[in-house]
Amino acid sequence: MEYWVSMPENGYTSDLASALAPDLLERFLRYVRIDTQSKRDRERSPSTPGQLDLGRLLVDELFGAGLDDASQDENGYVTATLPGSDGAEHVIGLIAHMDTSPDAPGSGVEPIVHRAYDGQAIELPRGATRLDPETMPELSAKRGHDIVTSSGDTLLGADDKAGVAEIVAAVAYLAAHPELPRPTLKVAFTPDEEIGEGATLFDIEGFGAECAYTLDGSDIGELQDETFAAFELSATIRGVDVHPGQATGKLVNALRIAAQILSALPSDGLTPETTSGREGFIHPYRLGGTPGEARLRAIVRDFDEQRLREHIELFERTARDVVAQHPRATVEIDVRRQYRNMRSYIETVPEIVQAAELAIRAEGIEPVRTPIRGGTDGSRLSEMGLPTPNLFTGGHEYHSVREWASVNDMASAAATIVRLAEVWARVGKVVSAG
Ligand SMILES: [Zn+2]
């Protein structure tokens, strides 16, 4: 097939990637302009109407590409099917999320394409935002690439519209090239991933895939089958509130006790800012209340369940020890599981990750196996019965006004999907021959 020719001269990993890039970029620039920022503590799905607008556009584009069952359900999930080649045995899912992070401004995104990046600092027109390769080693590696940024005062939304655009471009390409072998591909675009709800109303049975891949990673080559395991903790401290003028010997200030707990937690280790790689942490993220009642909230993360339990015990013990010094105060600790490390679900089906490795290598890229210091839709989908590792998208500096994406790497991601389809088509043949 003509696209297997090795690396072209134009900075793309293959002629296939080079061929996919223009369509992919056009779609991406269209999607990022739609405000799909999600909102915490949602009252309905999706949490914001802009996600429905993007979903409707995606249904139209999937129809246009020939996926004629494309639809959006009442919770905002978009799904579509690309039927497999004759005799296809496998049903493989491709998933990306439509919402963007609530942690940086997300409305009025005006993307800028910086053609053939020269390796210098990029000054954006608004917000005095500067992308400095000195402090961004990933950016300095992209000299010669086409780079997309926002205008400086909003996020870009490559997280995860890069993944959305890569999936649409890849399935459109496959639909237009029926001679390329492929399994049945099921596409899903989820709402509200950034607020931890992307998997909540996902109809896994209706989706009907045996496994899936999220396109929600970052640098080229990333293939992730491990995420943090996650808990949220809160300590509610009740003191004794008395008018401060008559408080002598009576007032027990819950807010002050909460602050003591906070300062008694480890700060020279076991925090997000002092850990990396496979180390976990306790991260207090909200403190509030009154002298009568105060609440300290924290998230706890680790890759290992046993160590995660130890971090939770440390938080509980610290809170109880501090409160014990104030006999008239009480504390109530709430421990809530958020998600598990997806590895335990994925490692029982090794061919899912093997297929992705083969596809990435077929695109001329060396797979990069890093654990995700966070969760993805795949964390909970894997737990719910749909094993779902994560693939790179080519985006960087997520959840910030400095967010950027390499068009070249996005094209490599789309090309990897096309190759993944071929790998799964071949796995089918091997299985049926055996
Ligand atoms: Zn994401």
Side-chain angles (χ1 to χ4, degrees):
M1 268 161 275
E2 46 64 76
Y3 70 75
W4 289 99
V5 185
S6 63
M7 190 188 294
E9 292 297 298
N10 56 6
Y12 285 91
T13 45
S14 69
D15 289 337
L16 173 61
S18 173
L20 286 161
D23 176 57
L24 166 67
L25 178 59
E26 207 180 290
R27 293 183 197 273
F28 178 67
L29 297 177
R30 202 155 48 232
Y31 305 160
V32 298
R33 289 173 186 278
I34 300 172
D35 176 4
T36 61
Q37 190 170 48
S38 49
K39 198 169 114 240
R40 290 200 176 84
D41 302 320
R42 72 176 184 181
E43 279 150 21
R44 66 187 66 82
S45 175
S47 61
T48 51
Q51 300 183 60
L52 291 173
D53 296 340
L54 175 58
R56 274 189 288 271
L57 173 67
L58 291 171
V59 168
D60 284 351
E61 292 196 11
L62 289 164
F63 259 114
L67 283 68
D68 48 25
D69 69 342
S71 68
Q72 183 179 43
D73 75 11
E74 68 275 17
N75 296 311
Y77 289 72
V78 171
T79 54
T81 309
L82 181 64
S85 316
D86 285 347
E89 295 187 17
H90 293 282
V91 182
I92 306 299
L94 298 167
I95 300 173
H97 65 89
M98 294 181 285
D99 64 317
T100 58
S101 169
D103 294 336
S107 104
V109 175
E110 286 186 38
I112 300 174
V113 182
H114 309 259
R115 297 281 177 190
Y117 172 55
D118 62 5
Q120 303 298 306
I122 300 175
E123 309 274 355
L124 298 180
R126 297 195 209 127
T129 300
R130 183 182 152 94
L131 279 64
D132 189 348
E134 298 265 308
T135 56
M136 296 180 181
E138 292 91 354
L139 180 60
S140 59
K142 307 302 176 192
R143 191 188 291 259
H145 287 205
D146 292 344
I147 301 291
V148 192
T149 66
S150 75
S151 291
D153 55 350
T154 66
L155 47 68
L156 172 61
D159 178 11
D160 186 22
K161 289 163 185 169
V164 174
E166 288 152 11
I167 291 171
V168 178
V171 296
Y173 184 89
L174 285 165
H177 292 80
E179 74 282 7
L180 298 178
R182 64 187 191 225
T184 296
L185 291 170
K186 302 289 290 194
V187 172
F189 299 125
T190 60
D192 289 341
E193 190 269 353
E194 297 288 2
I195 57 167
E197 304 285 3
T200 311
L201 296 165
F202 195 108
D203 176 8
I204 289 183
E205 211 164 303
F207 191 51
E210 62 200 68
C211 68
Y213 299 86
T214 47
L215 278 103
D216 195 14
S218 183
D219 206 15
I220 183 165
E222 280 178 1
L223 163 58
Q224 298 157 322
D225 62 348
E226 240 198 299
T227 54
F228 270 147
F231 274 89
E232 183 173 22
L233 309 180
S234 80
T236 306
I237 300 107
R238 291 192 184 84
V240 180
D241 200 4
V242 183
H243 186 287
Q246 290 127 27
T248 316
K250 293 181 192 154
L251 176 78
V252 180
N253 190 331
L255 195 55
R256 204 179 283 283
I257 297 171
Q260 285 170 4
I261 297 170
L262 180 57
S263 58
L265 287 168
S267 58
D268 53 357
L270 219 60
T271 70
E273 63 273 34
T274 58
T275 51
S276 61
R278 308 189 64 84
E279 299 167 313
F281 56 72
I282 301 171
H283 177 49
Y285 72 93
R286 191 176 292 174
L287 172 65
T290 62
E293 183 175 312
R295 197 161 176 222
L296 173 63
R297 295 170 76 168
I299 56 170
V300 181
R301 302 284 188 262
D302 209 294
F303 292 97
D304 181 82
E305 283 288 329
Q306 179 56 36
R307 287 203 308 271
L308 188 65
R309 293 282 166 191
E310 288 166 14
H311 305 332
I312 294 168
E313 281 165 26
L314 176 60
F315 180 90
E316 291 196 62
R317 198 166 58 238
T318 304
R320 292 195 194 289
D321 287 354
V322 168
V323 173
Q325 296 158 25
H326 306 272
R328 287 182 297 138
T330 61
V331 63
E332 192 184 307
I333 293 168
D334 182 63
V335 177
R336 193 173 67 86
R337 162 79 74 179
Q338 291 179 298
Y339 51 85
R340 287 171 196 277
N341 184 342
M342 61 160 79
R343 187 182 59 180
S344 52
Y345 306 99
I346 294 174
E347 67 190 357
T348 59
V349 204
E351 53 269 36
I352 299 171
V353 167
Q354 282 161 11
E357 282 183 325
L358 286 171
I360 293 170
R361 289 212 170 91
E363 184 52 29
I365 305 162
E366 190 52 33
V368 180
R369 301 290 301 277
T370 49
I372 307 174
R373 291 178 65 80
T376 63
D377 274 340
S379 314
R380 285 183 55 219
L381 290 174
S382 296
E383 185 176 0
M384 289 157 68
L386 181 65
T388 306
N390 189 39
L391 292 170
F392 69 96
T393 63
H396 296 265
E397 300 279 327
Y398 288 166
H399 305 189
S400 83
V401 294
R402 296 175 307 281
E403 191 183 6
W404 60 274
S406 155
V407 176
N408 303 61
D409 293 351
M410 289 168 62
S412 300
T416 296
I417 298 172
V418 173
R419 300 190 190 278
L420 186 61
E422 169 147 15
V423 171
W424 274 107
R426 275 199 251 118
V427 172
K429 286 199 191 94
V430 171
V431 170
S432 61

